[in-house]
Amino acid sequence: MTKEKIPAQASDPGETAGPLLEVAGLCRTFGDHKAVDDVAFTLAAGGSLGIVGESGSGKTTTARMLVGLETPDAGSIRVAGHERARQPRNRAERLRRAREIQMVFQDPYLSLDPRITVRDSIGEVLRLHAPELGKTGRAERLAELLDQVGLGAREAGAVPRRLSGGQRQRVAIARALAASPKVLILDEAVAALDVSIQAQILDLLVRIRREEGIAYLFVSHDLAVVKHITDDVVVLRNGRIVEAGRTAEVLANPQHPYTRLLIDSVPSEDWDPDRIAESRRALAALEA
Amino acid sequence: MLVLLVLAAVFAPLIAPYDPNEINLKNSLAGSSPDHWLGTDQSGRDLFSRLLYGARTGLLGPLAVVGVSTILGIAMGVVAAWRGGWVDSLLSRSMDLLFAFPAMLLAILCVAVFGAGMTAPVIAMMIAYTPYVGRLVRSIARQEQARPYIESYKVQGWSGWAICTRHLIPNITPTVLAQSAINFGYALAELAGLSFLGFGVQAPTADWGVMVNEGQSPLLKDVLMPALAPATAIMLAVVAFGIVGEGIADRIAKREK
Amino acid sequence: MAETTTSTDMSKGKNKSTAASSPAAGPGGSAEPLLDIQGLTLRLPASAAARPILDGIGLHVGRGETVGLVGESGSGKSVACRSVLGLLPRTAETEGAVRVNGTDVLGLDKQGLRDMRRNKVAMVFQDPRASVNPMRRVGAFLTEGLRVRGLSKADALARAEQLLEEVGIRDPKGALRKFPHQFSGGMLQRVVIAAALTGDPELLLADEPTTALDVTTQAEVVGILQRLQARHGTGMLFVTHDLELAAAICDRIYVMYAGRIVESQPAADLFARPRHPYTAGLLASTPRLDPDAEPPKPIPGRPVSLAEAPTGCAFADRCAFAEDRCRAEAPPLVTQGAVSVACLRADEGILP
């Protein structure tokens, strides 16, 4: 199952034309439960890859391993040909990791320090990652970032409590961008928002990708959102990839019965709960 | 009320009508009068003045106990929660060990080692109170560090030290302070208890615990004030700190909503 | 809060178990709707909210009918739903009427409310984990309601088993001995639905019952609700933020915004021809799976918070069609046939 276990530093500068993010043989077990089982995918620079799955599919664990919040049991994660160290040994390594991949979390109400104003929470990231800018340079960059996510001076001085869910998620995006990462992981980043606000954030994300050329790893349970925001998609089920391909093709012509079930489950005019229940049982029988 | 208490302690020399240790045997056990608001004790010392001065020793001890135990407790609790693994086990077990030791016993032991006086019981109680704070801090720090905002700081590349000192500790401090305020009341009562038993502040220094002790014999003569006044002061102080602690806790609960 | 209806209140009434037969069920002709809310206004103290949480809403649910109540956060949809059970904030001031079978819920005393919750109206909440006591076995959770109704222990167990079977739990006998944490979210929501059915309710209130569940599970739970409803002729008020889901299962839909009902139509018509700009905007901002669907189009701005009290139409600030008069006067809800809409410009053909 585990294909390879590449030692920590296997950097190969000749490989720059390859994919930006390369994940292979990723595994993670909790107790006797295989949360992530031999997951592999690549993400091109400026690309957008969706990781789709339901609860327990391993999609969030995968995302957490990529940013280092969880340690993989096996597998490799390479950014621009560089193997990502399991545990950063020093400050420089830590900062480099942070500039490779940033993440926006699902819950906008819990992902910001409640005591710290928007200005300060973005400002401190700039201080950490762009000390060379100096005070005025940082102020300019801060204004730029706020403007990019559509926040004004009034929101900049506010603590998270005073902001709506959509505004907080804008802050979280601006804060992630402040580190100028190559890859941005969006872990169910629009799932907790109202539909009308969700569409605003999706628009914002599409625009930012176009402007910055940043690559997205969009983790979501929502196929319709994934369809709109990604180029490629992998479908996860019980920790394993069951289908992967161009998003439009996978959605139009799903090959795996599970992908088909997921698509049929989305409410629509000809939605038939009984038929869905039946194909779900059929799938379970098939797997057993 | 707390403000009054602290003011009384700080300005005792200015407010107190008499020297707290001025003995006037002719005026022993006098009742309440315009000269002596709360009357006098067996040695004819003005009770009101002694009460005011007693607030000084009475508050200073717990302040030291709570201050040191809070700082030590936060340090131990946060380190245990953040590092996890064997560090957590080691710190948690050592806190458990201290827990199993009754505070009073520890204090008496300390007195036996260091001799009577204020220092020994205060040090003993610092040691005794630290695991209380440490345990509380450990459990709330564990909850707090599982929150995405702490995780997002990790993803941003901050060091554990920076995250803990700048974000984790400031966010759990209000909860800890609420507990510390309540601890203050307990420490005050326990220190007074030790003084009462003769292990703490020594007579004739004005101290509430000492005063209650000295008030025992007048009690037999049906003179209540010398014992009642300091006892009431202790009780009110404990209750007051309790209320402040609850108040802080309520405010936190409100904010979290 | 969430567990009050099904478990707590029932256990409280244990000693009065047999007096549970409907006390004030008016004779009510069949033309009368099962649930009839009229002019319901709910205000919090001015310090807590600048505008009413509910502002004169009216809706009705007939027997066997599924009615959707759709809105975003802060629209008041959940509060409206809870008002039917008399679950209102303590400091709230209410006007209007909430009638279940002709009985005004707002006028009921504690005993009356308890009887109504026990025998007529049941509720299924969003988070099944919050609706059950994690320390008690599922069997105890299900039978307590039945025992209150005077069933013997054996009868109650048999009935609980039957209910679990009805909601599609495979080994009902085994399930009765399990604890809530041994169930997945979807399975636990079935248990909660089974518990809601213990009183053979005439009206089922479903407050985002599938929001916390996976999509594939959502379909199954909705299927169960629909089947049970068809079998027992229960009326259902289905509260959701998901317009597509509502359209897929409801007969009629009410759309709420900032504490008011802005539009109501039969589900298919609402979807095909929304009359209120907000409904249209909501539909346009929902991402679609269908291959040639337009990308979602956001509604600018954000929903009105409780701290704001706009004078005219609450949606005016976000509305592409708003005129000066929209900001000056609040549009009344105008009914024409099966369509009700609260927009001053609804008849001007602003929407295709």
Side-chain angles (χ1 to χ4, degrees), chain B residues 173-175 177-179 181 243-254:
Chain B
T173 300
T175 316
L177 283 185
Q179 183 59 43
I243 292 171
V244 168
E246 297 284 336
I248 301 175
D250 281 353
R251 203 179 286 176
I252 299 165
K254 228 184 207 167

Side-chain angles (χ1 to χ4, degrees), chain C residues 2-229:
Chain C
E3 60 191 295
T4 44
T5 39
T6 29
S7 50
T8 325
D9 286 334
M10 285 173 177
S11 53
K12 260 189 236 156
K14 254 175 196 156
N15 44 353
K16 297 166 192 167
S17 58
T18 44
S21 55
S22 49
S30 56
E32 191 181 41
L34 177 60
L35 169 65
D36 187 16
I37 299 182
Q38 276 179 11
L40 180 62
T41 297
L42 195 143
R43 271 191 201 87
L44 286 183
S47 59
R51 63 167 171 89
I53 295 186
L54 297 177
D55 193 357
I57 69 157
L59 64 83
H60 59 95
V61 179
R63 276 162 233 281
E65 196 183 19
T66 305
V67 172
L69 189 57
V70 176
E72 297 184 283
S73 50
S75 63
K77 58 186 191 303
S78 278
V79 182
C81 179
R82 280 158 186 264
S83 74
V84 181
L85 283 178
L87 293 172
L88 296 171
R90 208 164 293 174
T91 51
E93 230 180 85
T94 53
E95 278 165 41
V98 179
R99 290 199 193 84
V100 176
N101 248 343
T103 312
D104 190 352
V105 173
L106 299 181
L108 285 178
D109 58 2
K110 269 186 190 163
Q111 180 62 41
L113 268 180
R114 204 147 53 209
D115 285 341
M116 194 206 52
R117 290 176 194 167
R118 201 178 292 157
N119 295 303
K120 286 193 196 146
V121 185
M123 187 156 178
V124 178
F125 295 91
Q126 173 172 349
D127 182 2
R129 302 247 173 247
S131 326
V132 299
N133 181 344
M135 305 299 285
R136 301 189 68 190
R137 288 175 204 275
V138 161
F141 171 65
L142 283 173
T143 51
E144 67 185 354
L146 294 161
R147 300 272 284 149
V148 168
R149 283 185 192 77
L151 263 69
S152 73
K153 195 167 179 192
D155 287 351
L157 274 173
R159 175 88 180 109
E161 217 180 297
Q162 191 190 342
L163 285 167
L164 285 179
E165 208 166 340
E166 258 192 271
V167 295
I169 287 183
R170 230 160 277 163
D171 172 22
K173 235 191 189 85
L176 287 174
R177 280 193 298 274
K178 285 190 184 167
F179 285 97
H181 68 87
Q182 292 170 292
F183 289 87
S184 68
M187 283 296 160
L188 199 58
Q189 192 65 302
R190 291 167 197 234
V191 172
V192 172
I193 293 171
L197 294 173
T198 50
D200 296 317
E202 294 169 58
L203 177 65
L204 189 61
L205 306 169
D207 188 1
E208 304 252 12
T210 59
T211 305
L213 308 178
D214 281 327
V215 263
T216 56
T217 319
Q218 160 170 296
E220 282 194 36
V221 169
V222 168
I224 288 165
L225 283 173
Q226 282 182 319
R227 217 169 26 251
L228 294 171
Q229 187 192 13

Side-chain angles (χ1 to χ4, degrees), chain A residues 7-287:
Chain A
Q9 53 279 72
S11 59
D12 186 355
E15 235 184 25
T16 40
L20 174 62
L21 174 67
E22 216 177 340
V23 174
L26 208 59
C27 292
R28 178 74 168 117
T29 307
F30 295 112
D32 54 0
H33 169 64
K34 277 198 162 160
V36 174
D37 187 0
D38 197 21
V39 164
F41 53 80
T42 59
L43 171 61
S48 177
L49 172 72
I51 298 188
V52 173
E54 297 186 288
S55 53
S57 64
K59 58 185 194 301
T60 293
T61 308
T62 304
R64 291 173 63 84
M65 285 193 283
L66 290 177
V67 290
L69 287 173
E70 211 69 76
T71 315
D73 296 333
S76 80
I77 301 166
R78 315 177 104 218
V79 178
H82 245 288
E83 179 72 19
R84 244 166 112 74
R86 294 278 152 85
Q87 284 296 325
R89 258 173 233 99
N90 51 43
R91 186 182 148 88
E93 213 164 73
R94 218 169 47 223
L95 294 184
R96 203 193 67 217
R97 278 168 65 98
R99 281 193 283 264
E100 286 169 354
I101 307 181
Q102 276 297 311
M103 174 142 137
V104 175
F105 292 79
Q106 168 170 8
D107 191 338
Y109 292 88
L110 295 177
S111 59
L112 300 171
D113 187 332
R115 294 176 314 115
I116 294 190
T117 63
V118 171
R119 187 179 290 116
D120 291 345
S121 85
I122 300 173
E124 61 186 5
V125 184
L126 289 173
R127 238 183 13 253
L128 184 70
H129 286 286
E132 72 280 358
L133 284 179
K135 212 170 177 185
T136 48
R138 279 203 298 271
E140 275 168 31
R141 179 83 182 110
L142 176 76
E144 208 177 284
L145 283 165
L146 287 172
D147 186 52
Q148 198 169 19
V149 297
L151 291 175
R154 202 169 57 85
E155 288 89 3
V159 288
R161 188 158 26 105
R162 301 255 167 257
L163 301 177
S164 68
Q167 288 172 323
R168 292 182 207 207
Q169 212 57 324
R170 288 169 194 267
V171 176
I173 293 169
R175 188 180 57 173
L177 292 176
S180 315
K182 299 188 184 82
V183 178
L184 182 59
I185 297 181
L186 299 136
D187 183 10
E188 296 279 14
V190 297
L193 304 175
D194 279 323
V195 192
S196 67
I197 305 299
Q198 173 178 303
Q200 292 176 3
I201 301 295
L202 288 175
D203 258 20
L204 176 70
L205 289 172
V206 168
R207 209 189 63 226
I208 288 174
R209 180 156 83 102
R210 206 171 45 223
E211 288 170 1
E212 303 283 313
I214 188 174
Y216 287 162
L217 193 72
F218 197 87
V219 179
S220 176
H221 71 282
D222 189 332
L223 284 174
V225 170
V226 167
K227 168 185 169 250
H228 179 61
I229 197 122
T230 66
D231 304 331
D232 299 282
V233 68
V234 295
V235 181
L236 279 183
R237 170 152 169 90
N238 299 332
R240 302 191 65 104
I241 293 180
V242 296
E243 184 158 2
R246 304 293 290 173
T247 307
E249 276 166 40
V250 170
L251 293 182
N253 191 12
Q255 297 302 310
H256 194 278
Y258 177 66
T259 316
R260 219 168 301 142
L261 171 66
L262 269 185
I263 293 171
D264 287 343
S265 296
V266 177
S268 62
E269 274 161 271
D270 52 352
W271 196 59
D272 181 357
D274 290 332
R275 207 189 63 227
I276 298 161
E278 206 171 289
S279 39
R280 190 165 174 228
R281 276 193 293 276
L283 182 66
L286 198 76
E287 284 171 344

Side-chain angles (χ1 to χ4, degrees), chain C residues 277-296:
Chain C
Y278 174 62
T279 317
L282 209 52
L283 283 169
S285 64
T286 309
R288 292 272 152 68
L289 203 48
D290 136 40
D292 28 60
E294 302 259 312

